[in-house]
């Protein structure tokens, strides 16, 4: 099988992302289809419990694929300015898809929320916050809590400090923000980038020996709390 920038599996299918092409395989590794619907498609995520996958292009496009019918069911143009390499994930029940986007300015993030029946955007959060920049988010499977990694800018728009926090979907707020040092922030950012690629060899960080231990944002957040006690 080819080497990919991003590679993902569920019980029925495997999907490989190589930039210009998205490859689909069955569970035995037989190639079923390949799609060339948009460029710079490197990362993706399966919808929980479904044979649906969302592929994210760094150019500013989301592609929703139904793998049972081997078809692109929706193409969402987020922006035409590119530089869309932040994180994304489904809610644990698969009813919502969260995507960190930069639709207007490549230095400002917002959190977009899509319902997954038709993949229509239902909310856009934090677009007016020019100080806070979001990088990655993930839900804890046990508690359903959502943890966020990002950083704050200072008054001159320069990196000030990294942070870990909790996103509350009900209140639509980032809560319990805790500063982390730049070394820890860099480590988590690179690890989450690699993890979102499916831990592929092509996406391996430059110093892989420092990324051998699985790290969730929840664990990192709780480590910060313990250190402060």
């Amino acid at each position: 099988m080819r080497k990919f920038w991003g590679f993902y599996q569920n019980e029925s299918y495997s999907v490989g992302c190589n930039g210009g092409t998205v490859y689909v395989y069955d569970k035995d590794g037989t190639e079923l289809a390949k799609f060339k619907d948009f460029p710079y498609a490197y990362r993706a995520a399966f919808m929980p419990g479904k044979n649906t996958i969302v592929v994210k292009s760094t150019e500013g496009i989301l592609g929703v694929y139904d793998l049972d019918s081997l078809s692109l069911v929706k193409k969402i143009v987020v922006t035409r300015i590119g530089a869309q390499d932040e994180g994304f994930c489904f809610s644990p029940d698969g009813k919502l898809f969260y995507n960190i986007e930069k639709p207007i300015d490549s230095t400002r993030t917002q959190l977009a929320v899509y319902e997954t029946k038709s993949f229509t955007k239902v909310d856009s959060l934090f677009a007016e916050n020019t100080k806070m920049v979001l990088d990655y988010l993930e839900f804890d499977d046990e508690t359903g809590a959502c943890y966020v990694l990002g950083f704050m800018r200072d008054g001159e728009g320069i990196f000030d400090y990294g942070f870990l926090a909790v996103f509350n979907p009900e209140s639509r707020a980032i809560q319990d923000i805790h500063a982390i040092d730049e070394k820890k922030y860099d480590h988590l950012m690179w690890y989450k980038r690699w993890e979102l690629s499916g831990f592929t060899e092509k996406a391996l960080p430059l110093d892989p020996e420092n990324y051998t231990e699985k790290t969730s944002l929840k664990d990192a957040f709780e480590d910060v709390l313990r250190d402060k006690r």
Side-chain angles (χ1 to χ4, degrees), residues 45-135:
F46 271 103
M47 184 189 299
K50 301 286 185 180
N51 291 325
T52 299
I53 194 167
V54 176
V55 178
K56 181 170 181 173
S57 162
T58 59
E59 186 180 60
I61 296 170
L62 297 173
V64 184
Y65 291 91
D66 181 339
L67 301 185
D68 291 329
S69 64
L70 295 175
S71 62
L72 173 69
V73 296
K74 190 160 188 178
K75 180 178 176 180
I76 303 166
V77 179
V78 174
T79 182
R80 293 293 188 185
I81 66 172
Q84 306 294 306
D85 54 2
E86 283 72 29
F88 51 91
C89 70
F90 284 93
S91 60
D93 60 10
K95 293 182 178 180
L96 297 172
F97 178 74
Y98 294 89
N99 185 41
I100 300 173
E101 302 176 346
K102 297 178 290 192
I104 300 173
D105 183 333
S106 62
T107 65
R108 292 173 55 183
T109 59
Q110 67 179 37
L111 180 59
V113 186
Y114 298 82
E115 53 81 15
T116 57
K117 287 184 178 180
S118 63
F119 280 89
T120 298
K121 186 185 289 188
V122 294
D123 212 346
S124 294
L125 307 173
F126 318 122
E128 302 304 318
N129 191 330
T130 59
K131 182 180 178 182
M132 181 176 68
V133 179
L134 305 178
D135 290 310

Side-chain angles (χ1 to χ4, degrees), residues 9-62:
Q9 294 175 289
N10 69 359
E11 293 78 8
S12 303
Y13 299 98
S14 299
V15 174
C17 299
N18 246 3
T21 306
V22 176
Y23 293 83
V24 182
Y25 301 90
D26 66 15
K27 62 182 179 180
D28 297 316
T30 301
E31 184 180 303
L32 301 176
K34 51 186 177 182
F35 300 97
K36 297 178 180 288
D37 297 302
F38 42 86
Y40 310 115
Y42 297 110
R43 295 187 290 182
F46 271 103
M47 184 189 299
K50 301 286 185 180
N51 291 325
T52 299
I53 194 167
V54 176
V55 178
K56 181 170 181 173
S57 162
T58 59
E59 186 180 60
I61 296 170
L62 297 173

